[in-house]
Amino acid sequence: MFEDRIQSEELRAKIVSADEAASLVKDGMVVGMSGFTRAGDAKLVPHAMAKRAKKHPFKISLLTGASLGHDTDKILSEAGVLARRMPFQVDTALRAAINRGEVMFIDEHLSEMVEQLRAHQLPPVNIAIIEAMMIHKDGSIVPTTSVGNSASFALGADKIIIELNTSINPDFEGIHDIYIPEARPNRKPVGVVKPDTRIGTTSIKVDKNKIAAIVISDVPDSPSLISPADDATNAIARHLTEFFLKEVDQGRMDMTLSPIQAGIGTIANAVLTGFVNSPFHNLQMYSEVLQDSTFELFDAGKLDFASASSITLSEACAARVFPNIGRYKDRLILRPQEISNYPEIIRRLGIIAINTALEADIYGNVNSTHVGGTHMMNGIGGSGDFARNAYISVFVTKSVAKGGKISSIVPMVAHVDHTEHDVDVLVTELGYADLRGLAPRERAPLIIEKCAHPDYHDILRDYFDRACKTVGGQTPHILEEAFSLHEKFKKTGSMLG
Ligand code: COA
């Protein structure tokens, strides 16, 4: 039943097949598509685009909120449709195409891309493809499980294609808070003063004449791919709990902590789930993606409110939460990603940011994106928006990867996403290093002792000692040896040699 979800007869006349809608996308266009961490993505039109491209090749620049589900990035990249892609992805096939140099990937802070669009620093979006759960009489669009960049794409594009998803629980309407910052100069402050502040509207107000096509869909979001907690992630959660208890003990916080942001992926989700068994209570989240852990904390009575840009759940959690979203509705807000990740709000609310590193170095610089320093993993996502502006910026990682052949603590990270200035606390399953107020020469021994795997202690200590003795400086490094562990891994398959 889609009729009652399109409240204008004039708009109902615009219903077409996915193939017909896809034919509106032309070679060379900039396409802005909904979708953020596999949630609320357009599901039918992009696949129809890939089908068409196999017969009649064409290329586009694809902009989204963040990552997409339904193998959309894989299917589009394999069909040769993607010339350029930004600002984030997590797909294995697209990742390979990026690393072969076939797709130009612009790895961008999630809060920033639509600012660049509005300021004409990027070519304008020609067509927006947006998933919606409802289209009102005036043409305004109610998004689904994510907001991402959908509002700015829809407002800025020449034409809009809507995928109306009838599988979305009607109770989702009212969860969204759509607000677009005013134009510069004289932009007023964005008025979010608490995670539950509403400042906008519950739908995206577009000119209905721009709606060029509507495609009916009932395809649910792809489930998230996170793995369950394991001994290492449980230990990371325990160390973080210990750290926060110390903060409470020292009078810097109370047991409700400060609003929490937690990054994507298995580790951040497991760490947050670990808070179910912590003594903290009446927690709040001001984050960008809500994973299973958010709803586990709600159900455990630990979490009072969660604000983000998307909800991305495992199959089991989605089956439990989405049919009952009405029960959580008054404790949830989904915002545009530039507001969920707005640097000034993050600083003002005093966010505790918990993000994941691929590797960190002995001085606290973090690489979250480039395997071996060269090959793209996923992208920086929102981690930079939060880490730089957080009240406490925490990075978590397991001390080793690939069965111990890679140390996550290295002399110098082979790519820097988060500088030492943006990293307050580093946590592995072995312990935490509180880096606040410490100089590089104080940080290194602490990180090695608390966070590095014992198999790598001697190698890292030896490097640091010799760097201090032979080179010196504020941040001692023997430059010709700084990547020796990475090189050893390349040559032998293990950083231990
Ligand atoms: N070198 C090479 N590979 C490494 C590595 C290292 N130093 N550390 C981890 N890996 C590999 C793991 O072995 C694993 O590989 P697999 O998928 O083949 O098993 C993969 O990276 C993911 O690691 P995992 O330990 O499962 O962590 P995760 O699922 O929590 O993901 C990141 C970790 C860093 C990839 C992920 O959090 C990310 O993309 N972060 C950047 C974006 C971000 O922080 N966004 C936050 C706001 S949304």
Side-chain angles (χ1 to χ4, degrees):
M1 280 293 285
F2 59 81
E3 285 80 2
D4 52 346
R5 293 196 184 223
I6 307 175
Q7 293 175 343
S8 146
E9 207 162 307
E10 185 193 338
L11 287 175
R12 281 201 285 271
K14 300 201 175 178
I15 296 172
V16 295
S17 69
D19 289 341
E20 283 173 273
S23 71
L24 298 174
V25 178
K26 309 287 185 211
D27 187 43
M29 275 188 168
V30 177
V31 178
M33 222 151 72
S34 67
F36 191 103
T37 55
R38 300 164 75 84
D41 48 341
K43 297 163 174 80
L44 302 182
V45 179
H47 286 229
M49 283 158 54
K51 197 171 82 183
R52 193 184 109 211
K54 283 186 189 153
K55 283 195 200 137
H56 306 289
F58 67 98
K59 285 197 179 290
I60 61 165
S61 295
L62 177 60
L63 279 50
T64 56
S67 57
L68 305 173
H70 299 91
D71 286 337
T72 294
D73 270 324
K74 169 182 158 75
I75 287 161
L76 288 173
S77 68
E78 287 177 352
V81 174
L82 300 181
R84 304 175 78 76
R85 180 77 176 88
M86 70 188 293
F88 188 71
Q89 59 78 45
V90 298
D91 182 79
T92 321
L94 174 55
R95 185 182 296 155
I98 290 166
N99 288 322
R100 286 194 302 271
E102 293 166 8
V103 176
M104 294 298 109
F105 177 53
I106 300 93
D107 177 18
E108 174 75 71
H109 293 303
L110 293 188
S111 71
E112 216 171 2
M113 190 178 73
V114 290
E115 291 271 27
Q116 294 183 336
L117 272 174
R118 283 194 296 263
H120 311 294
Q121 296 174 41
L122 295 173
V125 171
N126 303 113
I127 196 155
I129 309 176
I130 307 293
E131 188 183 71
M133 57 164 291
M134 171 76 82
I135 309 168
H136 288 147
K137 207 173 172 67
D138 63 355
S140 59
I141 303 167
V142 183
T144 60
T145 46
S146 72
V147 178
N149 285 322
S150 297
S152 289
F153 290 157
L155 290 166
D158 304 327
K159 282 186 185 161
I160 306 168
I161 298 172
I162 298 177
E163 280 197 16
L164 184 81
N165 194 326
T166 55
S167 76
I168 302 294
N169 185 338
D171 279 347
F172 255 95
E173 182 157 16
I175 284 178
H176 313 94
D177 188 56
I178 311 296
Y179 177 88
I180 305 292
E182 290 166 349
R184 301 184 180 105
N186 307 323
R187 176 184 292 179
K188 292 198 194 70
V190 178
V192 175
V193 292
K194 290 190 293 152
D196 63 357
T197 312
R198 284 189 168 273
I199 54 173
T201 54
T202 54
S203 60
I204 305 168
K205 307 285 175 203
V206 295
D207 171 1
K208 78 171 165 186
N209 296 318
K210 288 207 302 188
I211 299 176
I214 298 172
V215 176
I216 307 298
S217 150
D218 61 358
V219 185
D221 286 343
S222 297
S224 75
L225 297 173
I226 46 169
S227 317
D230 58 23
D231 288 349
T233 56
N234 288 337
I236 292 172
R238 275 201 311 279
H239 296 310
L240 256 183
T241 302
E242 192 191 322
F243 167 77
F244 288 125
L245 280 174
K246 204 164 153 208
E247 290 298 292
V248 173
D249 206 41
Q250 311 223 326
R252 290 192 281 261
M253 290 185 200
D254 63 24
M255 291 300 242
T256 64
L257 305 182
S258 233
I260 297 169
Q261 174 260 339
I264 55 156
T266 297
I267 300 178
N269 182 61
V271 165
L272 213 57
T273 298
F275 279 16
V276 167
N277 299 315
S278 75
F280 310 119
H281 55 81
N282 299 102
L283 299 171
Q284 306 207 53
M285 290 186 74
Y286 196 82
S287 197
E288 58 174 39
V289 53
L290 305 179
Q291 304 191 91
D292 290 13
S293 46
T294 298
F295 294 89
E296 284 158 24
L297 288 168
F298 272 140
D299 293 345
K302 289 279 182 189
L303 185 65
D304 283 355
F305 201 88
S307 161
S309 194
S310 80
I311 302 176
T312 305
L313 303 178
S314 67
E315 205 161 0
C317 190
R320 186 166 59 76
V321 167
F322 285 150
N324 299 304
I325 197 73
R327 282 218 302 260
Y328 299 94
K329 192 169 170 174
D330 59 350
R331 291 175 282 167
L332 282 176
I333 291 181
L334 292 182
R335 308 179 189 274
Q337 67 197 67
E338 64 180 319
I339 304 298
S340 63
N341 292 29
Y342 204 80
E344 191 267 333
I345 297 174
I346 292 164
R347 175 65 62 91
R348 186 155 39 78
L349 297 189
I351 302 297
I352 295 169
I354 305 171
N355 290 291
T356 311
L358 281 177
E359 60 178 9
D361 68 29
I362 55 173
Y363 298 114
N365 299 286
V366 162
N367 171 10
S368 292
T369 57
H370 281 64
V371 173
T374 51
H375 282 57
M376 178 51 65
M377 184 68 158
N378 300 325
I380 193 168
S383 55
D385 293 323
F386 284 93
R388 172 146 289 186
N389 301 294
Y391 166 57
I392 299 179
S393 169
V394 179
F395 276 88
V396 294
T397 179
K398 293 180 181 176
S399 67
V400 287
K402 307 295 175 207
K405 294 188 179 112
I406 293 178
S407 171
S408 305
I409 309 297
V410 290
M412 185 187 259
V413 284
H415 173 93
V416 190
D417 293 294
H418 309 287
T419 73
E420 56 175 307
H421 314 285
D422 300 330
V423 181
D424 295 321
V425 185
L426 192 61
V427 192
T428 68
E429 77 282 7
L430 298 161
Y432 73 84
D434 181 353
L435 306 175
R436 293 171 299 174
L438 298 188
R441 284 173 189 252
E442 296 169 305
R443 287 175 161 220
L446 189 70
I447 290 175
I448 296 168
E449 186 204 324
K450 300 282 186 188
C451 299
H453 192 279
D455 288 353
Y456 290 91
H457 276 192
D458 288 348
I459 298 173
L460 294 167
R461 269 197 213 113
D462 174 59
Y463 174 84
F464 174 62
D465 289 345
R466 285 187 297 110
C468 288
K469 276 189 201 120
T470 62
V471 183
Q474 161 79 356
T475 307
H477 268 304
I478 307 168
L479 290 179
E480 56 278 25
E481 268 188 45
F483 300 126
S484 55
L485 292 188
H486 299 88
E487 278 176 8
K488 219 184 276 175
F489 177 77
K490 239 193 233 161
K491 277 195 199 124
T492 69
S494 169
M495 286 186 173
L496 288 168

